């Protein structure tokens, strides 16, 4: 395997300093009329493109897929955290990861990147995990795609897990693809199902072609087998005090922590209702609401029930509701205890996002609407009569 190298041709360099100005890491400087490179270089490739005289050559290392896949053992879960709080999707990944690890007869590890995360890491040991790898550094306190990807890729190269799972969240989706490129393996995004084949391969299932089919994907020739998993499609693990897990603290090399971006501030999403993904009860409206003004009925019912407000893609595409309320394949996947669908026909794309609800109540005038195929209780009727009646029954004014 050849190493990365930045080569500057002294005969071609004219000392124009264009490369010095374009380097985002300050890795280039001038010694007289010759550009020189220091250890801060990350081999990003910005400087060769800036040189009009062809004086700079970037030689990138060439990695080959690991020939001995048997060297890879164990199931890893990425312990996503925001402001020091472990996210709910991690507990779902632990639940599924435990099943996969037990089937393979290998340990389950949670990888946590952050700063001052000791309390959160200790709590993770109360779940059915065998090990928590903790990388603590101030540079990792807040998520940034470059250092997170570089640190994770370095750990994968060193520890060699056979399976690596992360949530299909904004964070998981943005950095795990980088990791896959760095370690030269595949990645299956937005999985709704995971299993182990008789050949000990990870069977990764995800919706395809607009949710009209479910694709089963295998990563046969490379490791680790990597997937992001949709939030709320798998059962969260419960605490298991009987397991004696351990914490392994590791440091990240300084060069892995370099980033071209810096977090200035965090503006959380502002909503007047309960968070959709975490809600126990959701009241959703679809095309049958007819116009945006009618969503006030959904909001009234949701408020009385302490519920979140959802919508179908049709309502979002029509401009009746913001995208943040969309439930479905291209929106949010939810798993509430109660889901009330009002005027939603039940296209397969919507069903993918809500069919895991414990109880589903569907209200629709069309007795043949697909939503009734997954509903626990179905009301064939005019939602503009049924929903106001529900509101009045709960003590509200329709």
């Amino acid at each position: 395997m050849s190493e990365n190298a930045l080569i500057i041709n002294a005969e071609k360099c004219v000392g124009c300093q264009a490369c010095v100005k374009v380097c985002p890491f300050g890795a280039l400087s001038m010694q007289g009329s010759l550009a020189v490179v220091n250890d801060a270089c990350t081999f990003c490739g910005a400087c060769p493109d800036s040189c009009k005289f062809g004086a700079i050559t970037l030689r990138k290392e060439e990695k080959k897929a690991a020939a001995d896949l048997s060297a890879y053992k164990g199931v890893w879960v990425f312990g996503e955290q925001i402001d020091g709080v472990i996210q709910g999707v991690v507990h779902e990944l632990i639940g599924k990861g435990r099943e996969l690890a037990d089937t393979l007869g290998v340990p389950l590890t949670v990888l946590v990147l952050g700063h001052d995360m000791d309390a959160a890491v200790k709590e993770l040991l109360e779940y059915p995990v065998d090990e928590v790898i903790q990388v603590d550094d101030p540079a990792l306190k807040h998520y940034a795609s470059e250092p997170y990807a570089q640190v994770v890729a370095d750990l994968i190269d060193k520890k060699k897990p056979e399976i690596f799972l992360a949530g299909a969240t904004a964070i998981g989706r943005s950095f795990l693809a980088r990791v896959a490129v760095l370690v030269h393996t595949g990645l299956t995004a937005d999985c709704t199902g995971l299993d182990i084949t008789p050949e000990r391969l990870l069977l990764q299932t995800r919706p395809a072609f607009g949710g009209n089919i479910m694709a089963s994907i295998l990563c046969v020739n490379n490791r680790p087998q990597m997937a992001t998993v949709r939030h709320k499609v798998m059962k969260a693990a419960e605490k298991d005090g009987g397991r004696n897990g351990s914490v392994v603290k590791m440091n990240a090399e300084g060069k892995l922590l370099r980033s071209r971006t810096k977090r200035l501030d965090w503006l959380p999403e502002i909503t007047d209702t309960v968070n959709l993904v975490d809600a126990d009860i959701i009241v959703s409206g679809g095309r049958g609401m007819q116009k945006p003004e009618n969503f006030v009925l959904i909001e009234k019912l949701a408020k009385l029930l302490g519920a979140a407000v959802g919508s179908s893609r049709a309502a979002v595409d029509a401009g009746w509701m913001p995208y943040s309320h969309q439930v479905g394949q291209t929106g949010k996947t939810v798993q509430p205890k109660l889901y009330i669908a009002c005027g939603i026909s039940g296209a397969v794309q919507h069903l993918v996002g809500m069919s895991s609800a414990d109880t589903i109540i569907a209200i629709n005038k069309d007795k043949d609407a697909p939503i009734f195929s997954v509903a626990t209780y179905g009301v064939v009727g005019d939602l503009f009569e049924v929903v106001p009646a529900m509101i009045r029954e709960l003590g509200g004014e329709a």
Side-chain angles (χ1 to χ4, degrees):
M1 181 177 71
S2 60
E3 296 182 353
N4 291 331
L6 189 70
I7 303 168
I8 299 176
N9 188 321
E11 294 181 359
K12 292 184 178 182
C13 181
V14 299
C16 68
Q17 301 188 38
C19 58
V20 176
K21 295 175 183 177
V22 78
C23 179
F25 301 102
L28 289 162
S29 58
M30 301 301 298
Q31 286 187 359
S33 60
L34 178 66
V36 294
V37 61
N38 60 43
D39 291 340
C41 180
T42 65
F43 310 102
C44 67
C47 54
D49 293 337
S50 72
C51 183
K52 299 179 180 178
F53 306 96
I56 303 176
T57 302
L58 175 62
R59 187 178 70 204
K60 297 284 273 186
E61 66 179 6
E62 297 177 359
K63 277 192 175 182
K64 295 182 179 179
D68 182 14
L69 300 185
S70 65
Y72 291 79
K73 296 289 184 183
V75 177
W76 281 23
V77 165
F78 177 65
E80 180 179 328
Q81 58 88 12
I82 296 179
D83 291 335
V85 179
I86 299 294
Q87 299 301 289
V89 70
V90 177
H91 302 126
E92 298 167 25
L93 294 173
I94 290 173
K96 175 53 70 171
R98 183 74 268 163
E99 292 178 18
L100 301 176
D102 288 346
T103 300
L104 293 167
V106 297
L108 173 64
T109 298
V110 180
L111 172 61
V112 178
L113 276 56
H115 185 50
D116 293 334
M117 294 285 297
D118 288 352
V121 167
K122 184 178 179 181
E123 184 177 357
L124 281 174
L125 292 179
E126 298 177 19
Y127 290 87
V129 302
D130 299 302
E131 177 185 67
V132 177
I133 295 179
Q134 179 183 5
V135 184
D136 186 289
D137 195 283
L140 299 173
K141 182 174 183 178
H142 301 301
Y143 168 75
S145 59
E146 286 177 295
Y148 267 53
Q150 289 159 181
V151 170
V152 171
D154 181 65
L155 287 170
I156 287 175
D157 283 339
K158 291 176 179 176
K159 296 288 188 177
K160 292 182 167 48
E162 59 190 299
I163 293 173
F164 191 100
L165 307 176
T169 60
I171 288 177
R173 286 169 171 161
S174 69
F175 95 96
L176 211 61
R178 288 175 175 265
V179 175
V181 170
L182 291 171
V183 300
H184 300 268
T185 192
L187 170 65
T188 304
D190 278 357
C191 289
T192 56
L194 298 172
D195 206 349
I196 301 296
T197 71
E199 298 77 25
R200 295 176 62 86
L201 294 171
L202 180 64
L203 182 66
Q204 304 155 79
T205 303
R206 58 151 296 159
F209 291 99
N212 291 304
I213 65 171
M214 300 299 287
S216 295
I217 299 169
L218 297 174
C219 181
V220 177
N221 299 317
N222 299 81
R223 294 293 181 272
Q225 301 162 92
M226 297 177 63
T228 59
V229 181
R230 278 209 163 198
H231 192 13
K232 292 291 185 178
V233 299
M234 296 178 180
K235 185 177 180 181
E238 296 182 357
K239 291 186 177 181
D240 177 10
R243 192 174 295 270
N244 187 22
S246 60
V247 176
V248 177
K249 294 191 176 183
M250 301 190 69
N251 297 318
E253 297 180 38
K255 65 180 182 180
L256 300 176
L257 301 174
R258 295 174 186 142
S259 176
R260 287 172 289 180
T261 61
K262 180 181 180 182
R263 170 168 156 161
L264 299 178
D265 198 3
W266 174 256
L267 301 175
E269 182 179 2
I270 299 174
T271 177
D272 295 328
T273 59
V274 181
N275 183 279
L276 192 63
V277 173
D278 298 324
D280 287 332
I281 304 174
I282 297 174
V283 183
S284 281
R287 193 189 304 274
M289 298 305 298
Q290 298 181 2
K291 55 185 178 180
E293 293 83 1
N294 290 336
F295 266 84
V296 69
L297 283 175
I298 301 296
E299 293 167 357
K300 285 183 179 180
L301 181 57
K303 186 174 182 180
L304 289 168
L305 293 171
V309 173
S311 73
S312 67
R313 177 173 177 172
V316 171
D317 287 348
W320 300 348
M321 290 293 287
Y323 170 73
S324 59
H325 291 265
Q326 182 177 323
V327 174
Q329 183 187 354
T330 53
K332 291 181 170 66
T333 301
V334 297
Q335 195 177 33
K337 294 178 181 177
L338 174 61
Y339 189 88
I340 303 176
C342 306
I344 295 175
S345 63
V348 65
Q349 292 89 343
H350 187 78
L351 300 184
V352 166
M354 47 67 70
S355 57
S356 296
D358 292 346
T359 301
I360 300 172
I361 298 175
I363 305 169
N364 202 295
K365 289 194 296 185
D366 180 6
K367 64 180 178 61
D368 297 318
I371 192 72
F372 289 126
S373 66
V374 299
T376 313
Y377 303 100
V379 180
V380 179
D382 188 341
L383 72 88
F384 295 108
E385 295 177 2
V386 177
V387 174
M390 294 172 69
I391 292 172
R392 288 191 292 269
E393 186 67 23
L394 291 169
E397 294 184 4

